[in-house]
Amino acid sequence: MNTVVHKTLVVQLQAGEAADRFPVLAHFRYDAADPFALSVVFSHDGRVLAEWALDREMVGEGLTRPVGVGDVRLRPESRGMWDELRIELLGNDRADGDRHRAVVFVWASAVESFLRDTHAVVRPGEEEVCVDDFLAGLTAEG
């Protein structure tokens, strides 16, 4: 059985509050070796713009209600004929005291499809983490 799920989507990036949206690629990845996490790499014209780790359960919850209080905030949004997942990503501090911010809009049904594929690999509630391996990794880094 394949333990890694990939999906590449065209998403809409809004880099400022009044800025227009523009399309970028989002490369979603799920690996059963890290069963609670999803990674997303955003790219444009062959260049990586950013990489983020997201909580798989939080992404699912963000499809139905606002979630997140830290660097990642998600909420559903409706754009007339289709529903989107709004992902707000907060980065490092700027010189003016605010933080760098980007908002990504993803077609909700594409996120739902990706999550279904991840659930086929590891069902929600059946995630396991080998504590011995985790501790060994921590001590090796230290």
Side-chain angles (χ1 to χ4, degrees), residues 105-142:
F105 297 89
V106 187
W107 193 28
S109 64
V111 175
E112 290 168 346
S113 172
F114 175 72
L115 288 175
R116 274 193 305 274
D117 292 346
T118 72
H119 294 163
V121 174
V122 178
R123 293 176 49 152
E126 295 182 4
E127 300 93 346
E128 293 182 8
V129 175
C130 181
V131 176
D132 291 337
D133 291 346
F134 175 74
L135 292 174
L138 283 178
T139 57
E141 294 173 10

Side-chain angles (χ1 to χ4, degrees), residues 6 13 17 22 46 53 58 118 138:
H6 296 272
L13 173 66
E17 293 193 29
F22 67 93
M58 188 169 121
T118 72
L138 283 178

Side-chain angles (χ1 to χ4, degrees), residues 70-100:
D71 294 341
V72 178
R73 299 171 188 169
L74 303 109
R75 72 174 189 234
E77 286 203 1
S78 181
R79 293 206 28 109
M81 294 178 35
W82 65 85
D83 294 326
E84 296 175 319
L85 174 63
R86 180 185 191 274
I87 304 172
E88 182 178 5
L89 305 167
L90 300 174
N92 296 331
D93 292 334
R94 296 188 324 207
D96 64 5
D98 202 0
R99 293 176 72 184
H100 289 279

